Amino acid sequence: MEQNHENSFWKSSIKAVPGRPSPKKDIKIMNNRGKGASTSSSASFENYQQSVNDAWTISEDELTKEYRILSDDPKLLIRRSSQNSSRTHKNPQQIAVVHKTSSSTSANSINLTNNITLSNTANINNNIESNQTDETNYREENEHQQKPSNSSSSNERSIEYGSLRQRFNSYPGRPQLLKFSSMTLKDDAESKLEKFSAILEADLLNLKALKELSWSGAPRKMRAVVWRLLSGYLPTSLERRNSVLERKRIDYHNLVKQYFYVESRDEAQQDTFRQIHIDVPRMNPHVPLFQQKLVQEMFERILFIWAIRHPASGYVQGINDLVTPFFIVFLQEQVGVDKVLETYRFEDLPIEQRNIIEADSFWCISKFLDSIQDNYIFAQLGIQEKVNQLKELIQRIDVTLHKHLQSHGVDYLQFSFRWMNNLLTRELPLYCTIRLWDTYLAESDGFAVFQLYVCAAFLLHWREQLLQENDFQGLMLLLQNLPTHHWLDSHISVLVAEAFRLKFTYADAPKHLEVKS
């Protein structure tokens, strides 16, 4: 008897493989069975294998291809199943008959085989019935594309489609059709809230665990408390937090009385205030909230007091943008997470709550800027150094992009200075900036280093668009107006993940990247 490779259990090979049934043995057993010869008990599994070999005739490539069609275009899959119905699936009742007539094997093996087969047959019938409903809905949606004379063939296709859907859901170890209802985004968010609550309610805060959890984003309901802790504004001891908050808020308003509301200022202070007064109205000009007088006056006080307390750097243009994320987060805490802040009337908020927002924003921005203060000293040498580091990094990561920028006269200082100075606050929507700062604050120990790799990942994200520009003007227009208006938190998650990969690859292993002379 010639072996039929199409129906062979191991159709990719007919060679004997240790631990696998041999096709030659299958032939011999079938011949002996036809002659009425007895077989050994070791043939029981081989008999079972022969009876269900139709379930495995589809190859890996065919399965992957048909599974993809099932996901993308059920109509094409119905036609595919109709063409291959003669070789892909037998009648489940016929399978049961084969098992019932295989009496040459041991009684225990026969009972086990029959139980498995009858169970599978019931499952197949149930799945066909349930999936006929899916196919009926599919036909109703496309009824205007079908002729009335095709109603009988549609019923046949319905059964084939349902049967094929069942096959894709019943292969052991094969991909299953996704069930999105098993884990919703709401469940995921609630799980994360529980994790944050457990950390924040501990008597002594585990700051390392809080950083690890916040790195991928903090919940809006808890972000204000999380940011205070990550900034070092609040102590780790739970019982001391309220007392510290009260004392620090009083301290800030004493500073305002001492330095801001004074009858006269020296020339340097006058210049500082004048520059702040010019910059604040330019901040987020498209957001009505920041054009309100009370909000602008609050920012002027925060920035002026910070400049007075940091004479080595003083106020530098761009620092005003760095106050914005803290202000928004603490305002959201006071008014509730359901409020739309862009058009919120700040004057509707009681003065006590406005004072809390102002004081907390001041102390948090002060803590945050301590780690990057060299960016704002004379000539901003810290930023110049980071721009050069970004240039060297891109040259080693993507020499094609680097040469493209250089050949068209684009200097990294022309576009990345603002990225470093404003920490990408002007390149991203405000809500994306807040999500990014969840990670920045969680990276508080090495924030200055990590931000370099965020800028590198941000530049590489636009690689294809940049390579399509063939002149200086086109490149600069793109780099200074990057289309991020549609970005979501998911884009920021990808960005920081790529930045982490670059940092892990390059930050601690600079020697192997050195250009050999």
Side-chain angles (χ1 to χ4, degrees), residues 74 88 94 310 390 402-403 462 469 484 490:
T88 55
Q94 293 177 354
H310 296 82
L390 178 64
H402 172 75
K403 289 182 177 180
W462 310 103
E469 300 291 340
T484 60
S490 57

Side-chain angles (χ1 to χ4, degrees), residues 293-360:
K293 183 179 179 181
L294 287 177
V295 174
Q296 293 182 359
E297 290 176 349
M298 176 183 292
F299 272 74
E300 288 176 356
R301 290 191 293 269
I302 291 173
L303 293 169
F304 183 79
I305 299 300
W306 186 88
I308 294 297
R309 287 173 56 86
H310 296 82
S313 59
Y315 172 77
V316 176
Q317 286 180 289
I319 295 181
N320 55 310
D321 292 315
L322 305 185
V323 183
T324 304
F326 291 108
F327 169 76
I328 289 295
V329 168
F330 297 139
L331 174 61
Q332 190 86 72
E333 180 188 37
Q334 296 297 328
V335 303
V337 295
D338 297 328
K339 290 285 186 180
V340 178
L341 299 184
E342 286 81 356
T343 57
Y344 183 78
R345 289 173 54 87
F346 196 62
E347 61 186 18
D348 294 341
L349 201 64
I351 188 172
E352 294 81 8
Q353 291 177 298
R354 298 204 300 264
N355 290 339
I356 288 174
I357 295 170
E358 181 176 346
D360 290 357

Side-chain angles (χ1 to χ4, degrees), residues 185-226:
L185 294 176
K186 183 178 180 180
D187 294 336
D188 196 23
E190 290 177 353
S191 175
K192 196 167 188 177
L193 279 171
E194 292 175 358
K195 294 178 182 178
F196 271 96
S197 298
I199 294 175
L200 296 177
E201 293 172 3
D203 292 337
L204 186 62
L205 178 76
N206 186 340
L207 188 58
K208 182 179 179 181
L210 181 62
K211 288 181 178 181
E212 291 176 353
L213 193 57
S214 302
W215 200 93
S216 59
R220 293 176 66 186
K221 294 180 179 179
M222 299 180 177
R223 183 171 273 139
V225 177
V226 170

